[in-house]
Amino acid sequence: MSFKEIKPEELQKNPFQMIGKEWLLVTAEKDGKANTMTASWGGVGVMWGRNVAFIVIRPQRYTKEFIDASDKLSLSVLDEEYRKTLSYLGSVSGRDEDKIGKSGLTVVHTDDVPYFAEANTVITGKKLYAQEYRPECFIDSSLDEKWYPQKDYHTMYILEIEKILVRE
């Protein structure tokens, strides 16, 4: 399983499909240990003259501790055959068990950033900005009511895309 690096503007995947339908594994490392979670919210674009990706993480997610402790992280996209694995990684906490070990996926690194060898697409990025969502910022208050009944607001992270790897 080898990868080639491409420029962000060469990415052929539809971001709506990639993020919203295929899902992502958001992976970061802290104290030499990787942790990951499944995500289906986020995006890619241009901000501050840089190619960026953004993700949102709820405060209770264990992976958030890893993201907060690291300057860099990865977003891995896996093929449909890994759907059950993605569901498992999104529903079990690394606090409670070695979910990566149990998943059967292989953690590898590029530039000291962990990602999964089984991915078909990997985006690595450096954190540029983080901000917690606030209820008073919702222009459409129905979103707050629908998505945050427990008031566990996401933190949004904007990442400068440093590398995109695609399976050869």
Side-chain angles (χ1 to χ4, degrees), residues 1-6 117 119-121 165-168:
M1 296 192 229
S2 64
F3 290 90
K4 71 174 182 175
E5 184 175 349
I6 63 170
N120 61 52
T121 306
L165 304 173
V166 294
R167 181 158 318 285
E168 291 190 286

Side-chain angles (χ1 to χ4, degrees), residues 2-168:
S2 64
F3 290 90
K4 71 174 182 175
E5 184 175 349
I6 63 170
K7 296 176 183 174
E9 51 275 2
E10 294 173 325
L11 182 63
Q12 295 297 306
K13 292 190 85 115
N14 177 321
F16 298 97
Q17 180 70 28
M18 181 176 71
I19 299 164
K21 304 292 184 207
E22 295 176 37
W23 305 342
L24 306 169
L25 285 177
V26 179
T27 310
E29 205 163 63
K30 177 176 91 168
D31 301 328
K33 178 184 174 190
N35 198 52
T36 194
M37 62 174 271
T38 304
S40 62
W41 288 11
V44 295
V46 178
M47 179 67 82
W48 305 304
R50 300 178 189 192
N51 294 316
V52 300
F54 74 89
I55 57 166
V56 292
I57 309 291
R58 289 194 193 263
Q60 64 267 39
R61 297 302 299 255
Y62 184 51
T63 304
K64 186 176 186 311
E65 294 178 26
F66 289 73
I67 293 168
D68 288 341
S70 179
D71 292 333
K72 299 181 179 189
L73 58 100
S74 71
L75 308 174
S76 298
V77 182
L78 282 71
D79 292 331
E80 183 63 30
E81 68 188 85
Y82 293 100
R83 179 62 63 172
K84 285 184 181 177
T85 301
L86 291 167
S87 292
Y88 165 73
L89 291 169
S91 62
V92 173
S93 176
R95 274 188 198 100
D96 304 325
E97 60 185 71
D98 177 11
K99 69 179 187 176
I100 292 176
K102 288 183 177 182
S103 76
L105 296 180
T106 309
V107 176
V108 292
H109 292 80
T110 182
D111 303 324
D112 294 326
V113 180
Y115 69 97
F116 292 97
E118 294 80 3
N120 61 52
T121 306
V122 176
I123 298 172
T124 66
K126 175 178 66 174
K127 291 186 309 187
L128 297 176
Y129 183 83
Q131 182 173 338
E132 187 177 312
Y133 285 4
R134 297 190 329 241
E136 65 270 16
C137 293
F138 283 96
I139 296 166
D140 180 345
S141 62
S142 71
L143 296 172
D144 184 15
E145 295 163 12
K146 178 178 181 178
W147 296 105
Y148 301 100
Q150 276 97 37
K151 305 303 178 198
D152 56 341
Y153 295 100
H154 287 96
T155 297
M156 177 183 60
Y157 298 88
I158 299 176
L159 322 165
E160 180 174 13
I161 295 172
E162 293 191 314
K163 192 177 278 191
I164 297 181
L165 304 173
V166 294
R167 181 158 318 285
E168 291 190 286

